[in-house]
Each structure stands twice: as structure tokens, then as C-alpha cells.
Amino acid sequence: MNLTDKIALVTGASSGIGRATAFLLGRSGAKVCVNSWGDEKGAQNVARHLQENGSDSFQIQADVSDEEQAKNCVDTVLERWGRIDILVN
């Protein structure tokens, strides 16, 4: 799967299915925003792993069940990369 230069936002990406999805997207060439709510250190580790393996990525802490935090999360991705092609919740 070639996702070169696609922009992905993955919520709940600090562990489990979200983490595995972020890794798959990164290995496939996507730029990945790693979102988590409670596990900031886990999300930072995922983003760092992606960066170390050549994926443009960053971590953002936000509770996406809160409308304002979700909007800020999306706005941050849009400010950095200009669009979102893939959204994984």
C-alpha cells in the first residue's frame, strides 16, 4: 500500500489498534498525527518511533469526545499539513 504524502490523523494511537494503525500508515508513507487523551508518554513514543523510521509525524494530546479539543486537534493538523486525507477514530 502506497500512502506517500497522505495525511493521517489517528485517535487513540498511543496503544493497541490505534498504535498498530499509526505504524502501518507510517510504514506506508503517510504523515501521521498521533493523538491520545490519557497516555501522552505512549503517544510520544509512537510519534518518535515513526520519526525514527522516516515518517513525518507528531503527537497531540486531546480528548476527541470534547468538541473544542477535537476541533483544536484537527486545526493543528490543518495548520501543519493543510489537509487530512485519512481519519482513524
Side-chain angles (χ1 to χ4, degrees):
M1 171 169 52
N2 183 355
L3 299 175
T4 301
D5 295 324
K6 296 295 183 185
I7 310 301
L9 168 56
V10 183
T11 66
S14 63
S15 64
I17 293 170
R19 177 180 179 207
T21 301
F23 287 160
L24 175 64
L25 292 168
R27 280 193 310 271
S28 298
K31 298 175 182 179
V32 182
C33 175
V34 177
N35 164 258
S36 72
W37 173 41
D39 185 6
E40 184 174 9
K41 185 174 180 109
Q44 289 171 344
N45 289 337
V46 171
R48 184 173 37 257
H49 175 82
L50 288 166
Q51 292 164 358
E52 289 171 353
N53 288 282
S55 177
D56 187 0
S57 67
F58 71 100
Q59 178 269 339
I60 188 165
Q61 199 74 8
D63 176 358
V64 295
S65 71
D66 177 283
E67 185 176 352
E68 184 173 327
Q69 289 185 50
K71 182 181 180 332
N72 288 337
C73 181
V74 169
D75 287 347
T76 300
V77 176
L78 295 176
E79 287 172 16
R80 181 168 181 147
W81 290 320
R83 67 182 196 278
I84 298 173
D85 300 307
I86 302 164
L87 178 61
V88 180
N89 295 90

Coordinates of all heavy atoms in Angstrom, one line a residue:
M1 N 0.9 -1.2 0.0 CA 0.0 0.0 0.0 C 0.9 1.2 0.0 O 1.8 1.4 0.8 CB -0.9 -0.1 1.2 CG -1.7 1.1 1.5 SD -3.0 1.0 2.8 CE -2.1 0.3 4.2
N2 N 0.7 2.1 -0.9 CA 1.5 3.3 -1.0 C 0.6 4.5 -0.6 O -0.3 4.9 -1.3 CB 2.0 3.5 -2.4 CG 2.9 4.7 -2.6 OD1 3.1 5.5 -1.6 ND2 3.5 4.9 -3.7
L3 N 1.0 5.1 0.5 CA 0.3 6.3 1.0 C 1.2 7.5 1.1 O 1.0 8.4 1.9 CB -0.3 6.0 2.4 CG -1.3 4.9 2.4 CD1 -1.8 4.6 3.9 CD2 -2.6 5.2 1.6
T4 N 2.2 7.5 0.2 CA 3.2 8.6 0.2 C 2.5 10.0 0.2 O 1.6 10.2 -0.7 CB 4.2 8.5 -0.9 OG1 4.8 7.2 -0.8 CG2 5.2 9.6 -0.9
D5 N 2.9 10.8 1.1 CA 2.4 12.2 1.2 C 0.9 12.3 1.6 O 0.3 13.4 1.6 CB 2.7 13.0 0.0 CG 4.2 13.2 -0.2 OD1 4.9 13.3 0.8 OD2 4.6 13.2 -1.3
K6 N 0.2 11.2 2.0 CA -1.1 11.3 2.5 C -1.0 11.8 4.0 O 0.0 11.5 4.7 CB -1.9 10.0 2.4 CG -2.1 9.5 1.0 CD -3.0 10.4 0.3 CE -3.3 9.9 -1.1 NZ -4.1 10.8 -1.9
I7 N -2.0 12.5 4.4 CA -2.0 13.0 5.8 C -3.0 12.2 6.6 O -4.2 12.1 6.3 CB -2.5 14.5 5.8 CG1 -1.6 15.3 4.8 CG2 -2.4 15.0 7.2 CD1 -0.2 15.3 5.0
A8 N -2.6 11.6 7.7 CA -3.4 10.8 8.6 C -3.5 11.4 10.0 O -2.5 11.8 10.6 CB -2.9 9.4 8.6
L9 N -4.7 11.3 10.6 CA -4.9 11.6 12.0 C -5.5 10.4 12.6 O -6.5 9.9 12.2 CB -5.9 12.8 12.1 CG -6.5 13.1 13.5 CD1 -5.4 13.3 14.5 CD2 -7.4 14.3 13.5
V10 N -4.7 9.8 13.6 CA -5.2 8.6 14.2 C -5.4 8.9 15.7 O -4.5 9.3 16.4 CB -4.1 7.5 14.1 CG1 -4.6 6.2 14.8 CG2 -3.7 7.3 12.7
T11 N -6.7 8.8 16.1 CA -7.0 9.0 17.5 C -6.8 7.7 18.3 O -6.8 6.6 17.7 CB -8.5 9.5 17.7 OG1 -9.4 8.5 17.3 CG2 -8.7 10.7 16.9
G12 N -6.5 7.8 19.6 CA -6.3 6.6 20.4 C -5.0 5.9 19.9 O -5.0 4.7 20.0
A13 N -4.0 6.6 19.5 CA -2.9 6.0 18.8 C -1.7 5.7 19.8 O -0.7 5.2 19.3 CB -2.4 6.9 17.7
S14 N -1.9 5.8 21.1 CA -0.8 5.5 22.0 C -0.7 4.0 22.3 O 0.4 3.6 22.8 CB -1.0 6.3 23.3 OG -2.2 5.8 24.0
S15 N -1.7 3.2 21.9 CA -1.6 1.8 22.2 C -2.6 1.0 21.4 O -3.4 1.6 20.7 CB -1.8 1.5 23.7 OG -3.2 1.9 24.0
G16 N -2.5 -0.3 21.4 CA -3.5 -1.2 20.8 C -3.6 -1.0 19.3 O -2.7 -0.8 18.6
I17 N -4.9 -1.0 18.9 CA -5.2 -0.9 17.4 C -4.8 0.4 16.9 O -4.3 0.5 15.7 CB -6.7 -1.2 17.2 CG1 -7.1 -2.6 17.6 CG2 -7.1 -0.9 15.8 CD1 -8.6 -2.9 17.6
G18 N -5.0 1.5 17.6 CA -4.6 2.8 17.1 C -3.1 2.9 16.9 O -2.6 3.4 15.9
R19 N -2.3 2.3 17.8 CA -0.8 2.3 17.7 C -0.5 1.5 16.4 O 0.3 2.0 15.6 CB -0.2 1.7 18.9 CG 1.3 1.6 18.8 CD 1.8 1.0 20.1 NE 3.3 0.9 19.9 CZ 4.0 0.0 20.6 NH1 3.4 -0.9 21.4 NH2 5.3 -0.1 20.4
A20 N -1.0 0.3 16.3 CA -0.7 -0.5 15.1 C -1.1 0.2 13.8 O -0.4 0.1 12.8 CB -1.4 -1.9 15.3
T21 N -2.2 0.9 13.8 CA -2.7 1.6 12.6 C -1.7 2.7 12.3 O -1.4 2.9 11.1 CB -4.1 2.1 12.9 OG1 -5.0 1.0 13.1 CG2 -4.6 2.9 11.6
A22 N -1.3 3.5 13.3 CA -0.3 4.6 13.1 C 0.9 4.0 12.5 O 1.5 4.6 11.5 CB -0.1 5.3 14.4
F23 N 1.4 2.9 13.0 CA 2.7 2.3 12.5 C 2.5 1.8 11.0 O 3.3 2.1 10.2 CB 3.1 1.1 13.3 CG 3.7 1.5 14.7 CD1 3.7 0.6 15.7 CD2 4.2 2.7 14.9 CE1 4.3 0.9 16.9 CE2 4.8 3.1 16.1 CZ 4.8 2.1 17.1
L24 N 1.3 1.2 10.7 CA 1.1 0.8 9.3 C 1.0 2.0 8.4 O 1.6 1.9 7.3 CB -0.2 0.0 9.3 CG -0.7 -0.4 7.9 CD1 0.3 -1.4 7.3 CD2 -2.1 -1.1 7.9
L25 N 0.3 3.0 8.8 CA 0.2 4.2 7.9 C 1.6 4.8 7.7 O 1.9 5.2 6.6 CB -0.8 5.2 8.5 CG -2.2 4.8 8.6 CD1 -3.1 5.7 9.4 CD2 -2.8 4.7 7.2
G26 N 2.4 4.9 8.8 CA 3.7 5.5 8.6 C 4.6 4.7 7.7 O 5.3 5.2 6.9
R27 N 4.6 3.3 7.9 CA 5.4 2.4 7.0 C 4.9 2.5 5.6 O 5.7 2.3 4.7 CB 5.2 1.0 7.5 CG 6.1 0.6 8.7 CD 6.2 -0.9 8.9 NE 4.9 -1.5 8.9 CZ 4.1 -1.7 10.0 NH1 4.6 -1.3 11.2 NH2 3.0 -2.4 9.9
S28 N 3.7 2.9 5.4 CA 3.1 3.0 4.0 C 3.3 4.4 3.4 O 2.9 4.7 2.3 CB 1.6 2.7 4.0 OG 1.4 1.4 4.5
G29 N 4.0 5.3 4.1 CA 4.4 6.6 3.6 C 3.6 7.8 4.0 O 3.9 8.9 3.7
A30 N 2.6 7.5 4.8 CA 1.7 8.7 5.3 C 2.4 9.5 6.4 O 3.3 9.0 7.1 CB 0.4 8.1 5.9
K31 N 2.1 10.7 6.4 CA 2.4 11.6 7.5 C 1.3 11.4 8.6 O 0.2 11.4 8.3 CB 2.4 13.1 7.1 CG 3.4 13.4 6.0 CD 3.3 14.8 5.5 CE 4.3 15.0 4.3 NZ 4.2 16.4 3.8
V32 N 1.7 11.2 9.8 CA 0.8 10.7 10.9 C 0.8 11.7 12.1 O 1.8 11.9 12.7 CB 1.2 9.3 11.3 CG1 0.1 8.8 12.4 CG2 1.2 8.3 10.1
C33 N -0.4 12.1 12.4 CA -0.6 12.8 13.7 C -1.1 11.8 14.7 O -2.1 11.1 14.4 CB -1.7 13.9 13.5 SG -2.1 14.7 15.1
V34 N -0.3 11.6 15.7 CA -0.6 10.6 16.7 C -1.4 11.3 17.9 O -0.8 12.1 18.6 CB 0.7 10.0 17.3 CG1 0.5 9.0 18.4 CG2 1.5 9.4 16.1
N35 N -2.6 10.9 18.0 CA -3.5 11.6 19.0 C -3.7 10.6 20.2 O -3.9 9.4 19.9 CB -4.8 12.0 18.5 CG -5.8 12.3 19.6 OD1 -6.7 11.4 19.8 ND2 -5.7 13.4 20.2
S36 N -3.7 11.1 21.4 CA -4.2 10.3 22.5 C -4.8 11.3 23.6 O -4.6 12.5 23.5 CB -3.0 9.5 23.2 OG -2.2 10.4 23.9
W37 N -5.5 10.7 24.5 CA -6.1 11.6 25.5 C -5.3 11.4 26.8 O -4.8 12.3 27.4 CB -7.5 11.2 25.7 CG -8.2 11.9 26.8 CD1 -8.1 13.2 27.2 CD2 -9.2 11.3 27.7 NE1 -8.9 13.4 28.3 CE2 -9.6 12.3 28.6 CE3 -9.7 10.0 27.8 CZ2 -10.5 12.0 29.6 CZ3 -10.7 9.8 28.8 CH2 -11.1 10.8 29.7
G38 N -5.2 10.2 27.3 CA -4.6 9.9 28.6 C -3.2 9.5 28.7 O -2.5 9.7 29.7
D39 N -2.7 8.9 27.6 CA -1.3 8.3 27.6 C -0.4 9.2 26.8 O 0.0 8.8 25.7 CB -1.4 6.9 27.1 CG -0.1 6.2 27.2 OD1 0.9 6.8 27.8 OD2 0.0 5.0 26.7
E40 N 0.0 10.3 27.3 CA 0.8 11.2 26.5 C 2.2 10.6 26.2 O 2.7 10.7 25.1 CB 1.0 12.6 27.2 CG 1.8 13.6 26.5 CD 1.9 14.9 27.2 OE1 1.4 15.1 28.3 OE2 2.4 15.9 26.5
K41 N 2.8 10.0 27.2 CA 4.1 9.3 27.0 C 4.0 8.2 25.9 O 4.9 8.1 25.1 CB 4.6 8.8 28.3 CG 6.0 8.2 28.2 CD 6.6 7.8 29.6 CE 8.0 7.3 29.4 NZ 9.0 8.2 29.9
G42 N 3.0 7.4 26.0 CA 2.8 6.4 24.9 C 2.7 7.0 23.6 O 3.3 6.5 22.6
A43 N 1.9 8.1 23.4 CA 1.8 8.7 22.1 C 3.1 9.3 21.7 O 3.4 9.3 20.5 CB 0.7 9.8 22.2
Q44 N 3.8 9.9 22.6 CA 5.1 10.5 22.2 C 6.1 9.4 21.7 O 6.8 9.6 20.8 CB 5.8 11.2 23.4 CG 5.1 12.5 23.8 CD 5.5 13.1 25.1 OE1 6.2 12.4 25.9 NE2 5.2 14.3 25.3
N45 N 6.0 8.2 22.4 CA 6.8 7.1 21.9 C 6.5 6.6 20.5 O 7.3 6.3 19.7 CB 6.7 5.9 22.9 CG 7.5 6.2 24.2 OD1 8.4 7.1 24.3 ND2 7.0 5.5 25.3
V46 N 5.2 6.6 20.2 CA 4.7 6.2 18.9 C 5.2 7.2 17.9 O 5.8 6.8 16.8 CB 3.2 6.1 18.9 CG1 2.7 5.9 17.4 CG2 2.7 4.9 19.7
A47 N 5.0 8.5 18.1 CA 5.5 9.5 17.2 C 7.0 9.5 17.0 O 7.5 9.6 15.9 CB 5.1 10.9 17.7
R48 N 7.7 9.3 18.1 CA 9.2 9.2 18.0 C 9.6 8.0 17.1 O 10.5 8.0 16.3 CB 9.8 9.1 19.4 CG 11.3 9.1 19.3 CD 12.0 9.2 20.7 NE 11.4 8.5 21.8 CZ 10.6 9.1 22.7 NH1 10.4 10.4 22.7 NH2 10.1 8.4 23.7
H49 N 8.9 6.8 17.4 CA 9.2 5.6 16.6 C 9.0 5.9 15.1 O 9.8 5.5 14.2 CB 8.4 4.4 17.1 CG 8.5 3.2 16.3 ND1 9.6 2.3 16.4 CD2 7.8 2.7 15.2 CE1 9.5 1.4 15.6 NE2 8.4 1.6 14.8
L50 N 7.9 6.5 14.8 CA 7.5 6.8 13.4 C 8.6 7.7 12.8 O 9.1 7.5 11.7 CB 6.2 7.5 13.3 CG 5.0 6.6 13.5 CD1 3.7 7.4 13.8 CD2 4.8 5.6 12.4
Q51 N 9.0 8.8 13.5 CA 10.0 9.7 13.0 C 11.4 9.0 12.8 O 12.0 9.2 11.8 CB 10.2 10.8 14.0 CG 9.0 11.8 14.1 CD 9.1 12.6 15.4 OE1 10.0 12.5 16.2 NE2 8.1 13.5 15.5
E52 N 11.7 8.1 13.7 CA 13.0 7.4 13.6 C 13.0 6.4 12.4 O 14.0 6.0 11.9 CB 13.3 6.6 14.9 CG 13.6 7.5 16.1 CD 13.7 6.7 17.4 OE1 13.3 5.5 17.4 OE2 14.1 7.3 18.4
N53 N 11.8 6.1 11.9 CA 11.7 5.2 10.8 C 11.2 5.9 9.5 O 10.7 5.3 8.6 CB 10.7 4.1 11.1 CG 11.3 3.1 12.1 OD1 12.1 2.3 11.7 ND2 11.0 3.2 13.4
G54 N 11.5 7.3 9.5 CA 11.3 8.0 8.3 C 9.9 8.7 8.0 O 9.7 9.3 7.0
S55 N 9.0 8.5 9.0 CA 7.7 9.1 8.8 C 7.6 10.5 9.4 O 8.0 10.7 10.6 CB 6.6 8.2 9.4 OG 5.3 8.8 9.3
D56 N 7.1 11.5 8.7 CA 6.8 12.8 9.3 C 5.7 12.6 10.2 O 4.6 12.2 9.8 CB 6.5 13.8 8.2 CG 6.4 15.2 8.7 OD1 6.6 15.5 9.9 OD2 6.1 16.1 7.8
S57 N 5.8 12.8 11.5 CA 4.8 12.6 12.5 C 4.9 13.6 13.7 O 6.0 14.1 13.9 CB 4.7 11.2 12.9 OG 5.8 10.9 13.7
F58 N 3.8 13.7 14.4 CA 3.9 14.5 15.6 C 2.8 14.0 16.5 O 1.8 13.3 16.1 CB 3.8 16.0 15.4 CG 2.5 16.5 15.0 CD1 1.6 17.1 15.9 CD2 2.1 16.5 13.7 CE1 0.4 17.6 15.5 CE2 0.9 17.0 13.3 CZ 0.0 17.5 14.2
Q59 N 2.9 14.3 17.8 CA 1.9 13.8 18.8 C 1.1 15.0 19.3 O 1.6 16.1 19.4 CB 2.7 13.2 20.0 CG 1.8 12.7 21.1 CD 1.6 13.8 22.2 OE1 2.4 14.7 22.3 NE2 0.5 13.6 22.9
I60 N -0.2 14.8 19.5 CA -1.0 15.8 20.1 C -2.0 15.2 21.1 O -2.5 14.1 20.9 CB -1.9 16.6 19.0 CG1 -2.6 17.8 19.6 CG2 -2.8 15.6 18.3 CD1 -3.1 18.8 18.6
Q61 N -2.0 15.9 22.2 CA -2.9 15.4 23.3 C -4.3 16.1 23.2 O -4.3 17.3 23.2 CB -2.2 15.8 24.6 CG -2.7 15.1 25.8 CD -2.1 13.7 25.9 OE1 -1.3 13.3 25.1 NE2 -2.7 12.9 26.8
A62 N -5.3 15.3 23.1 CA -6.7 15.9 23.0 C -7.7 14.8 23.3 O -7.6 13.7 22.9 CB -6.9 16.5 21.6
D63 N -8.7 15.2 24.0 CA -9.9 14.3 24.3 C -10.9 14.6 23.1 O -11.6 15.6 23.2 CB -10.5 14.6 25.6 CG -11.8 13.8 25.9 OD1 -12.2 13.0 25.0 OD2 -12.3 14.0 27.0
V64 N -10.9 13.7 22.1 CA -11.8 14.0 21.0 C -13.2 13.8 21.2 O -14.1 14.1 20.4 CB -11.3 13.2 19.7 CG1 -9.9 13.6 19.3 CG2 -11.4 11.7 20.0
S65 N -13.6 13.4 22.5 CA -15.0 13.4 22.8 C -15.5 14.8 23.2 O -16.7 15.1 23.4 CB -15.3 12.4 23.9 OG -14.8 12.8 25.2
D66 N -14.5 15.7 23.4 CA -14.8 17.1 23.8 C -14.7 17.9 22.5 O -13.6 17.9 21.8 CB -13.8 17.6 24.8 CG -13.9 19.1 25.1 OD1 -13.5 19.9 24.3 OD2 -14.5 19.3 26.2
E67 N -15.8 18.5 22.1 CA -15.9 19.2 20.8 C -14.7 20.2 20.6 O -14.1 20.3 19.5 CB -17.2 19.9 20.6 CG -17.4 20.5 19.2 CD -18.8 21.1 19.0 OE1 -19.7 20.9 19.9 OE2 -19.0 21.8 18.0
E68 N -14.5 21.0 21.6 CA -13.4 22.1 21.4 C -12.0 21.5 21.3 O -11.2 21.9 20.4 CB -13.4 23.0 22.6 CG -12.4 24.2 22.5 CD -12.6 25.2 23.6 OE1 -13.7 25.4 24.1 OE2 -11.5 25.7 24.0
Q69 N -11.7 20.4 22.1 CA -10.4 19.8 21.9 C -10.3 19.0 20.6 O -9.2 19.1 20.0 CB -10.2 18.8 23.1 CG -10.0 19.4 24.4 CD -9.7 18.4 25.5 OE1 -8.8 17.6 25.3 NE2 -10.4 18.5 26.6
A70 N -11.4 18.4 20.1 CA -11.4 17.8 18.8 C -11.1 18.8 17.7 O -10.3 18.6 16.8 CB -12.7 17.0 18.6
K71 N -11.8 19.9 17.8 CA -11.6 21.0 16.8 C -10.1 21.5 16.8 O -9.5 21.7 15.8 CB -12.5 22.1 17.0 CG -12.4 23.3 16.0 CD -13.4 24.4 16.3 CE -13.3 25.5 15.3 NZ -12.1 25.8 14.6
N72 N -9.6 21.7 18.0 CA -8.2 22.1 18.1 C -7.2 21.1 17.5 O -6.2 21.5 16.9 CB -7.8 22.4 19.6 CG -8.5 23.7 20.1 OD1 -8.8 24.6 19.3 ND2 -8.7 23.8 21.4
C73 N -7.5 19.8 17.7 CA -6.7 18.8 17.2 C -6.7 18.8 15.7 O -5.6 18.8 15.0 CB -7.2 17.4 17.7 SG -6.3 16.0 17.1
V74 N -7.9 18.9 15.1 CA -8.0 19.0 13.6 C -7.3 20.3 13.1 O -6.6 20.2 12.1 CB -9.5 18.9 13.2 CG1 -9.6 19.3 11.7 CG2 -10.0 17.5 13.5
D75 N -7.6 21.4 13.8 CA -7.0 22.6 13.3 C -5.4 22.6 13.4 O -4.8 23.1 12.5 CB -7.4 23.8 14.2 CG -8.9 24.2 13.9 OD1 -9.5 23.8 12.9 OD2 -9.4 24.9 14.8
T76 N -4.9 21.9 14.3 CA -3.4 21.8 14.4 C -2.9 21.0 13.2 O -1.9 21.4 12.7 CB -3.0 21.1 15.8 OG1 -3.5 21.9 16.8 CG2 -1.5 20.9 15.9
V77 N -3.6 19.9 12.9 CA -3.1 19.1 11.7 C -3.2 20.0 10.4 O -2.3 20.0 9.6 CB -4.0 17.8 11.6 CG1 -3.6 17.1 10.3 CG2 -3.8 16.9 12.8
L78 N -4.3 20.7 10.3 CA -4.5 21.5 9.1 C -3.5 22.6 9.0 O -3.0 23.0 7.9 CB -5.9 22.1 9.1 CG -7.1 21.1 9.0 CD1 -8.4 21.8 9.1 CD2 -6.9 20.3 7.7
E79 N -3.1 23.2 10.2 CA -2.1 24.3 10.2 C -0.7 23.7 9.8 O 0.0 24.4 9.1 CB -2.0 24.9 11.6 CG -3.1 25.8 12.0 CD -3.1 26.2 13.4 OE1 -2.0 26.1 14.1 OE2 -4.1 26.7 13.9
R80 N -0.5 22.5 10.2 CA 0.8 21.9 9.9 C 0.9 21.3 8.5 O 1.9 21.5 7.8 CB 1.1 20.7 10.9 CG 2.5 20.1 10.6 CD 2.9 19.2 11.8 NE 4.1 18.6 11.6 CZ 5.0 18.3 12.5 NH1 4.7 18.6 13.8 NH2 6.1 17.7 12.2
W81 N -0.1 20.6 8.0 CA -0.1 19.9 6.7 C -1.1 20.4 5.7 O -1.1 19.9 4.6 CB -0.2 18.4 6.9 CG 1.1 17.8 7.6 CD1 2.4 18.2 7.4 CD2 1.1 16.8 8.6 NE1 3.2 17.4 8.1 CE2 2.4 16.5 8.9 CE3 0.1 16.1 9.2 CZ2 2.8 15.6 9.8 CZ3 0.5 15.1 10.1 CH2 1.8 14.9 10.4
G82 N -2.1 21.2 6.1 CA -3.0 21.8 5.1 C -4.2 20.9 4.8 O -5.2 21.4 4.2
R83 N -4.3 19.7 5.2 CA -5.4 18.8 4.9 C -5.3 17.6 5.7 O -4.3 17.3 6.4 CB -5.5 18.5 3.4 CG -4.3 17.6 3.0 CD -4.4 17.3 1.5 NE -3.6 16.2 1.1 CZ -2.2 16.2 0.9 NH1 -1.6 17.4 1.1 NH2 -1.6 15.1 0.6
I84 N -6.4 16.8 5.7 CA -6.5 15.5 6.3 C -7.0 14.5 5.3 O -8.2 14.8 4.8 CB -7.3 15.4 7.6 CG1 -6.7 16.3 8.7 CG2 -7.4 14.0 8.1 CD1 -7.6 16.5 9.9
D85 N -6.3 13.5 4.9 CA -6.7 12.5 3.9 C -7.3 11.3 4.5 O -8.2 10.6 4.0 CB -5.6 12.1 3.0 CG -5.0 13.3 2.2 OD1 -5.7 14.0 1.6 OD2 -3.7 13.4 2.3
I86 N -6.8 10.9 5.7 CA -7.2 9.7 6.4 C -7.5 10.0 7.8 O -6.6 10.6 8.5 CB -6.0 8.7 6.3 CG1 -5.6 8.4 4.9 CG2 -6.4 7.4 7.1 CD1 -4.3 7.7 4.7
L87 N -8.6 9.6 8.3 CA -9.0 9.8 9.7 C -9.4 8.5 10.3 O -10.3 7.8 9.8 CB -10.2 10.8 9.8 CG -10.8 11.1 11.2 CD1 -9.7 11.7 12.1 CD2 -12.0 12.0 11.1
V88 N -8.7 8.1 11.4 CA -8.9 6.8 12.0 C -9.4 7.2 13.5 O -8.6 7.7 14.2 CB -7.7 5.9 12.0 CG1 -8.0 4.6 12.7 CG2 -7.2 5.7 10.6
N89 N -10.6 6.8 13.8 CA -11.1 7.0 15.2 C -11.3 5.7 15.9 O -11.9 4.8 15.4 CB -12.4 7.8 15.2 CG -12.3 9.2 14.6 OD1 -12.4 9.4 13.4 ND2 -12.0 10.1 15.5

